[in-house]
């Protein structure tokens, strides 16, 4: 049983019957309930589950002015066996802790984080889609609610967890994701907030992101903040290159998000005895290996995106194209492995899944498949 038993105020009328589960998008529909917890007088309190709905804040709330906010993204899946599982919530709790620390937000107890998710999913389990590739996306967020115009850490916060039935962020029918390597703007610099999941990192990507779309690309490929020559990440996902028989991904040195899917991919590669390197990789090297025919494939890895093959990368006047159709792509194998674990189709040897919903309350094991 969860350690923190939460009071629940149920909705009067569920909105579930209005949802078109045959045409899910990403993040435009939210489940009936949300978790809510307040911070004031030096402690988190009033943890509860309430109907999803507007929150009240003064216009002076610090989050609105100076961006003191953090969030997370994780997913719950309906398994092939009917059991509901949340994928690696402990990793998201740890990362939320790192983001809070960087943004001077008081820490959240990891047990409360996981237990709140358990109980929220138990209440809204019917909102979980069951098709492969779909999930109940879980979005924890914390923001400063103290009304004050001083630039300082707030003394009041709200911690919410909302959930949304979603399909994957990038369509698997779309022929891969196209990327424009950004030559001018930067997402993050050493010593900044690049490793934290904070709204400002995403707000700063909107202008260059619009440029990418205007130029015919799906997303921006971020390069290092000093010389714009080394690859960083895509913003919505980390990036992997398969060069000859080895996988290369940029290292976690403070400017890129420590993705949970990134970590899962590296573990799966390790399990299979595949070669991989976490090391800086320049666009010059990417292009040189491409020209030699050694760059086999490129793909992104992220919670929302899962594993998304890259079809095109533009860097200045150079454009690299990749065939994302072949069945033998590593990105396809990795996608299947991850989704198979998430949905209980294969053994969860690393204990990544947390059983939630009716199966958890029926007393089945809390972790594993
Ligand atoms: C995620 O992958 O969960 C993210 O947070 C990326 C995004 C949708 C902003």
């Amino acid at each position: 049983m969860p350690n923190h038993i939460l009071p629940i105020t149920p909705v009067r009328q569920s909105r579930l019957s209005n949802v078109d589960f045959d045409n899910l998008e990403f993040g435009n529909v939210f489940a009936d309930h949300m978790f809510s917890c307040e911070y004031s007088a030096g402690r988190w309190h009033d943890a509860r589950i309430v109907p999803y709905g507007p929150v009240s804040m003064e216009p002076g709330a610090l989050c609105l002015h100076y961006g003191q906010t953090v969030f997370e993204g994780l997913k719950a899946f309906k398994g092939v066996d009917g059991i509901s599982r949340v994928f690696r919530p402990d990793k998201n709790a740890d990362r939320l802790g790192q983001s809070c620390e960087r943004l001077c937000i008081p820490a959240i107890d990891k047990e409360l984080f996981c237990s709140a998710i358990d109980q929220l999913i138990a209440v809204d389990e019917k909102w979980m889609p069951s098709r492969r590739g779909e999930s109940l996306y879980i979005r924890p967020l914390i923001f400063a609610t103290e009304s004050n115009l001083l630039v300082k850490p707030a003394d009041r916060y709200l911690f919410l967890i909302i959930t949304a039935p979603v399909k994957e962020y990038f369509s698997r029918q779309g022929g891969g994701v196209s990327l424009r390597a950004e030559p001018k703007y930067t997402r993050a610099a050493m010593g900044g907030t690049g490793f934290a999941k904070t709204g400002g990192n995403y707000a700063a990507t909107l202008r260059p992101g619009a440029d990418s779309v205007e130029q015919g690309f799906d997303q921006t490929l971020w390069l290092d903040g000093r010389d714009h020559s080394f690859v960083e990440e895509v913003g919505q996902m980390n990036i992997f290159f398969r060069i000859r028989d080895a996988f290369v991904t940029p290292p976690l040195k403070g400017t890129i998000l420590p993705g949970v899917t990134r970590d899962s991919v590296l573990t799966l590669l390790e399990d299979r005895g595949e070669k991989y390197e976490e090391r800086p990789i320049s666009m010059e090297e990417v292009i040189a290996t491409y020209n030699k025919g050694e760059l086999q494939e490129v793909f992104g890895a992220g919670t929302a995106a899962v594993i998304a093959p890259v079809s095109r990368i533009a860097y200045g006047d150079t454009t690299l194209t990749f065939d994302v159709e072949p069945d033998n792509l590593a990105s396809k194998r990795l996608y299947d492995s991850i989704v198979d674990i998430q949905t209980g189709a294969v053994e969860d040897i690393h204990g990544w899944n947390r059983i939630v919903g009716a199966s958890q309350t029926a007393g089945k094991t809390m972790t594993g498949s």
Side-chain angles (χ1 to χ4, degrees), residues 26 71-74 137 139 169 197 202 235-236 302-305:
F26 186 92
F71 70 96
E72 267 305 323
L74 62 164
Y137 185 78
R139 172 54 64 86
Y169 201 88
K197 217 158 167 60
Y202 295 80
Q236 270 83 326
T303 297

Side-chain angles (χ1 to χ4, degrees), residues 223-236:
L223 304 179
D224 74 275
R226 212 187 67 164
D227 304 318
H228 289 93
S229 53
F230 287 89
V231 176
E232 297 258 294
E233 61 157 274
V234 180
Q236 270 83 326

Side-chain angles (χ1 to χ4, degrees), residues 318-340:
T318 308
T319 300
L320 317 181
T321 56
F322 304 91
D323 184 359
V324 297
E325 294 308 322
D327 284 334
N328 63 352
L329 288 179
S331 65
K332 292 198 173 159
R333 288 200 309 277
L334 286 162
Y335 173 87
D336 282 333
S337 301
I338 288 180
V339 176
D340 283 348

Side-chain angles (χ1 to χ4, degrees), residues 288-311:
T289 55
Y290 178 89
N291 287 337
K292 282 192 262 172
E294 295 174 348
L295 182 52
Q296 317 287 354
E297 61 180 294
V298 182
F299 59 90
T303 297
V306 196
I307 304 290
V310 171
S311 55

Side-chain angles (χ1 to χ4, degrees), residues 76-105:
F77 300 86
K78 184 59 75 185
V80 291
D81 48 8
I83 293 178
S84 304
R85 297 171 172 82
V86 177
F87 190 63
R88 307 192 76 181
D90 52 319
K91 291 288 280 182
N92 294 87
D94 289 342
R95 190 172 63 186
L96 183 67
Q98 287 148 20
S99 301
C100 283
E101 204 280 325
R102 181 63 180 83
L103 273 287
C104 272
I105 293 175

Side-chain angles (χ1 to χ4, degrees), residues 67-319:
Q68 199 191 6
T69 68
V70 292
F71 70 96
E72 267 305 323
L74 62 164
K75 283 176 169 175
F77 300 86
K78 184 59 75 185
V80 291
D81 48 8
I83 293 178
S84 304
R85 297 171 172 82
V86 177
F87 190 63
R88 307 192 76 181
D90 52 319
K91 291 288 280 182
N92 294 87
D94 289 342
R95 190 172 63 186
L96 183 67
Q98 287 148 20
S99 301
C100 283
E101 204 280 325
R102 181 63 180 83
L103 273 287
C104 272
I105 293 175
I108 295 288
D109 175 55
K110 193 168 169 174
E111 271 305 307
L112 173 64
F113 179 91
C114 291
S115 171
I117 289 174
D118 290 351
Q119 292 173 74
L120 186 59
I121 303 279
V123 173
D124 281 336
E125 195 171 8
K126 290 199 173 82
W127 285 78
M128 198 178 298
S130 52
R131 291 196 179 102
R132 193 170 174 85
E134 296 179 345
S135 60
L136 190 65
Y137 185 78
I138 305 167
R139 172 54 64 86
L141 65 156
I142 309 176
F143 47 95
T145 52
E146 179 191 351
S147 187
N148 201 318
L149 294 185
L150 293 176
V151 178
K152 64 159 197 112
D155 62 15
R156 300 182 61 158
Y157 299 87
L158 196 54
F159 169 30
L160 303 177
I161 306 177
I162 58 177
T163 65
V166 297
K167 66 172 189 178
E168 283 156 13
Y169 201 88
F170 300 109
S171 163
R172 301 202 75 71
Q173 273 75 52
V177 180
S178 56
L179 305 176
R180 180 185 66 96
E182 171 56 51
K184 181 171 94 173
Y185 299 106
T186 47
R187 177 186 171 275
M190 288 299 281
T193 58
F195 68 90
K197 217 158 167 60
T198 182
N201 288 345
Y202 295 80
T205 67
L206 296 178
R207 177 69 267 157
D211 292 348
S212 297
V213 170
E214 203 172 282
Q215 291 170 41
F217 295 87
D218 297 314
Q219 294 283 315
T220 308
L221 177 60
W222 296 103
L223 304 179
D224 74 275
R226 212 187 67 164
D227 304 318
H228 289 93
S229 53
F230 287 89
V231 176
E232 297 258 294
E233 61 157 274
V234 180
Q236 270 83 326
M237 52 189 187
N238 296 111
I239 190 147
F240 284 79
F241 300 88
R242 184 158 71 92
I243 301 174
R244 293 181 293 277
D245 60 347
F247 295 81
V248 178
T249 194
L252 303 179
K253 56 179 175 43
T255 54
I256 68 172
L257 195 79
V260 176
T261 311
R262 175 188 182 280
D263 181 81
S264 307
V265 166
L266 293 177
T267 304
L268 291 175
L269 293 175
E270 179 98 43
D271 287 350
R272 292 172 187 165
E274 308 240 30
K275 288 189 217 151
Y276 68 85
E277 297 169 54
E278 295 177 78
R279 65 161 172 86
I281 176 163
S282 65
M283 278 309 297
E284 200 183 333
E285 177 181 348
V286 170
I287 292 166
T289 55
Y290 178 89
N291 287 337
K292 282 192 262 172
E294 295 174 348
L295 182 52
Q296 317 287 354
E297 61 180 294
V298 182
F299 59 90
T303 297
V306 196
I307 304 290
V310 171
S311 55
R312 191 158 56 105
I313 302 179
Y315 179 57
D317 294 336
T318 308
T319 300

